Amino acid sequence: QVKLEESGGGSVKTGGSLRLSCAASGDTSGLICLAWFRQNPGKEREGVGIIYHRGATILDPSVKGRFAISQNNAKDTMWLQMNNLKPEDSAMYYCAAGFEMDLCTLHRPQLLDSWGRGTQVTVSS
């Protein structure tokens, strides 16, 4: 069982930046991926980006060029650097963990094993 905890959310103006963190604790030895998702009330959870244990990353086209994902050497902390934020980026941001390659996808969040409680990002114009 892995516990995930997000931090770093807040309120910024359009064009501002935030850096989110996701800390994984517990048995992280079999982690294949860590991923970021976001969700607004009444809407589906959407994938933002994913980083695999060997370092490869995938970002959703809506954030490519503005967001970047990284992780530490221990593979138990992940960051989401968000630049040039837009109001449409406002959401609750969640991190998730996957232990099988086939389940590590941004398109079917229900397949991922563990989730954090989220951190709120609000971008005002």
Side-chain angles (χ1 to χ4, degrees):
Q1 186 76 17
V2 169
K3 180 180 176 182
L4 302 173
E5 185 169 2
E6 305 92 338
S7 61
S11 297
V12 297
K13 297 279 190 183
T14 297
S17 297
L18 284 172
R19 191 188 196 209
L20 305 185
S21 298
C22 171
S25 58
D27 185 3
T28 62
S29 59
L31 263 179
I32 298 296
C33 70
L34 288 168
W36 288 102
F37 290 80
R38 62 188 181 186
Q39 188 173 23
N40 282 301
K43 296 197 173 181
E44 291 188 358
R45 192 163 293 191
E46 61 180 24
V48 176
I50 193 166
I51 186 164
Y52 294 91
H53 62 302
R54 293 185 179 179
T57 61
I58 298 173
L59 289 167
D60 185 80
S62 66
V63 304
K64 199 174 287 186
R66 300 187 297 121
F67 291 11
I69 294 180
S70 59
Q71 63 185 357
N72 64 350
N73 289 336
K75 311 291 192 288
D76 59 6
T77 302
M78 170 179 64
W79 297 279
L80 181 67
Q81 179 65 44
M82 306 188 294
N83 299 324
N84 191 21
L85 282 160
K86 304 176 181 180
E88 52 264 42
D89 295 318
S90 298
M92 184 71 79
Y93 282 70
Y94 299 90
C95 69
F99 290 84
E100 296 181 37
M101 185 61 77
D102 289 348
L103 304 185
C104 286
T105 172
L106 291 177
H107 305 296
R108 298 179 68 185
Q110 66 272 22
L111 297 180
L112 290 167
D113 300 278
S114 302
W115 291 83
R117 291 188 171 187
T119 186
Q120 179 68 39
V121 171
T122 302
V123 185
S124 58
S125 57

